[in-house]
Amino acid sequence: MIIYEEGSRVARWSRLHKRLFHIVGPRLVHPRDGPRRLTNLLTCERSRRQGRLEHPGRPYVLFTEISSVCQLRCPGCLSGQDGRHATFMELDRFRRLLDRFGPWLVDLELYGWGEPFLNRSIFEMIALAKSRNLFVRTSTNCNAFRQGDEARLVETGLDQLNCSLDGVTQGTYGAYRIGASLERSLEALRRLVDAKRRAGVRRPLIEWQMIISKKNQHEVDAVRTLAQQVGVDILRLDLPFSLMHIDQADNPEATAEWIADDPKYRRWANAHAQGAWAFDCACSYLWTTLQVDATGQINPCPNRLGSQIQLGDPLVEDVNTLWNQPFFTQARALFAPKAQPPAGHHPCMACKEFRQPWKALPEVAAGGCGLV
């Protein structure tokens, strides 16, 4: 079992190896689409490094929200909120999205804000995507699995399954995963591991993800032990709790309630401060990634802020045109190294995840420009 931890060299090299030899590399040797994917990937990365506002590439990573429905009620999650769509993406629409994006894609992330396995077409969707030689990953709360789903999942050829398990006791686990059963999650996880062993395959990689907060930090060591016993491939412990994801990024009181005490898990501790950010780098989504929500509309990114903005139907409008509409060119300008304070308001100005250099300008830091 590989453990992803903040600052771990083993984790860093493991991720690099997976990216080169499992996510990217195999997609570029496809006899029909490989050269086009390689050219597009290089175009996207060159545009990102140059900070181009008009971007000639197409997304090589696509988040596809096949379900915006969830049986849980985690704090701040968009699923279940008043006014947000609650639906499943139809198999036919998914097939047409693959036709539209697939020739340029490398990585398909088959999840959004709902529980993917509530959409019972997920197995056909994964198989379709794998037939296009894509890296396919999905995510689950492990509470929607039915008996036999684990064998069906292994047969699809899925590359990776992320499983959200934030503790080893029901009280701790349920503090955030409201409505979830730890016993049911662990049972599903063990069946998945067993299904892989019976089939004699290495895929899907099973990643146990623990989002670490003040409410569960005392169970980190117990999670290590249990994950090893269950037999997962990866244990991810570098996911500190984000106040953005409970819509409390501007609230210092929420920091005291949720953010862990250990410095390793306090990346978001100061995110509520004016002009602050969690990651000292520019957003890469704007040059590499799109999300299509369960209604078929594109969103600028898969995060909480971007997932609430709908910018057009890629089955109706040209993808390049959609990706270079004013919303995107103005958003890319926010991350320019010498960017000046924006003249007007843009939704991405409120993002506290990535560095926007203009926020550090003296006149902005003093409290002007509508900064949040």
Side-chain angles (χ1 to χ4, degrees):
M1 181 181 74
I2 298 171
I3 301 177
Y4 291 170
E5 291 189 276
E6 191 76 29
S8 167
R9 291 185 179 182
V10 172
R12 186 163 59 248
W13 281 106
S14 173
R15 279 195 167 109
L16 178 61
H17 183 276
K18 182 170 70 173
R19 181 166 181 78
L20 292 177
F21 297 105
H22 296 290
I23 299 178
V24 176
R27 316 311 141 200
L28 306 184
V29 298
H30 191 272
R32 185 183 70 249
D33 294 328
R36 179 163 37 190
R37 287 171 176 166
L38 175 59
T39 300
N40 180 65
L41 186 149
L42 293 174
T43 298
C44 289
E45 289 301 319
R46 183 169 58 249
S47 289
R48 181 179 67 84
R49 291 178 183 276
Q50 294 173 346
R52 293 185 61 171
L53 306 188
E54 294 283 344
H55 181 20
R58 288 174 178 255
Y60 68 82
V61 181
L62 185 69
F63 281 78
T64 307
E65 185 185 50
I66 62 172
S67 168
S68 58
V69 179
C70 188
Q71 74 278 52
L72 308 188
R73 288 296 176 264
C74 304
C77 181
L78 294 178
S79 179
Q81 288 198 355
D82 291 343
R84 178 162 170 86
H85 52 81
T87 189
F88 301 120
M89 182 176 289
E90 296 178 352
L91 182 60
D92 181 64
R93 174 174 284 275
F94 178 79
R95 184 182 289 109
R96 288 188 290 149
L97 285 171
L98 279 183
D99 291 339
R100 182 59 62 96
F101 287 96
W104 295 269
L105 275 187
V106 168
D107 179 356
L108 180 68
E109 303 289 334
L110 209 59
Y111 60 95
W113 288 87
E115 167 53 45
F117 286 89
L118 292 177
N119 186 336
R120 300 305 293 171
S121 295
I122 187 172
F123 304 101
E124 291 87 350
M125 290 173 170
I126 295 170
L128 271 173
K130 289 306 300 175
S131 73
R132 305 293 186 95
N133 190 35
L134 298 175
F135 177 86
V136 184
R137 172 166 38 202
T138 190
S139 181
T140 180
N141 59 42
C142 292
N143 272 245
F145 275 93
R146 301 178 185 177
Q147 195 73 34
D149 280 357
E150 60 280 359
R152 293 183 68 189
L153 190 61
V154 168
E155 290 170 1
T156 64
L158 179 70
D159 291 288
Q160 183 167 324
L161 179 69
N162 295 345
C163 303
S164 300
L165 286 156
D166 307 313
V168 297
T169 61
Q170 180 62 42
T172 299
Y173 169 73
Y176 183 74
R177 306 287 169 185
I178 296 173
S181 164
L182 177 63
E183 182 181 0
R184 184 180 300 163
S185 296
L186 290 172
E187 180 187 353
L189 201 53
R190 291 186 176 105
R191 293 204 314 265
L192 280 163
V193 171
D194 188 54
K196 281 179 56 181
R197 288 173 178 159
R198 290 198 311 271
V201 297
R202 297 182 61 190
R203 297 289 184 272
L205 291 176
I206 300 175
E207 179 174 297
W208 178 320
Q209 295 187 342
M210 181 182 187
I211 298 177
I212 300 173
S213 71
K214 184 170 288 187
K215 299 179 186 295
N216 65 6
Q217 60 187 352
H218 60 288
E219 293 191 358
V220 170
D221 288 339
V223 165
R224 293 176 195 270
T225 301
L226 184 56
Q228 185 76 55
Q229 292 173 351
V230 170
V232 300
D233 302 290
I234 302 166
L235 172 61
R236 190 167 182 189
L237 297 176
D238 60 351
L239 284 170
F241 195 87
S242 159
L243 295 175
M244 261 185 81
H245 297 143
I246 59 168
D247 199 23
Q248 293 290 315
D250 300 311
N251 183 359
E253 293 180 1
T255 300
E257 179 182 354
W258 284 98
I259 301 295
D261 299 317
D262 190 321
K264 288 192 300 184
Y265 310 126
R266 292 183 62 81
R267 179 182 291 276
W268 290 86
N270 297 316
H272 59 78
Q274 180 170 284
W277 51 74
F279 296 92
D280 194 27
C281 60
C283 172
S284 63
Y285 293 128
L286 293 167
W287 288 272
T288 65
T289 305
L290 273 179
Q291 176 170 275
V292 179
D293 68 25
T295 71
Q297 291 280 312
I298 66 165
N299 310 130
C301 77
N303 293 341
R304 194 180 202 284
L305 183 66
S307 295
Q308 298 179 80
I309 302 168
Q310 295 184 321
L311 294 169
D313 186 341
L315 298 182
V316 175
E317 302 176 68
D318 176 71
V319 173
N320 282 92
T321 302
L322 288 172
W323 214 16
N324 284 294
Q325 61 184 286
F327 180 96
F328 286 100
T329 57
Q330 292 166 11
R332 291 172 188 137
L334 296 173
F335 296 94
K338 297 182 180 180
Q340 294 300 305
H345 177 74
H346 189 284
C348 290
M349 291 169 63
C351 179
K352 294 179 176 290
E353 186 158 4
F354 302 108
R355 181 186 71 240
Q356 297 182 32
W358 64 271
K359 291 184 177 182
L361 295 173
E363 63 269 34
V364 177
C369 306
L371 183 62
V372 292

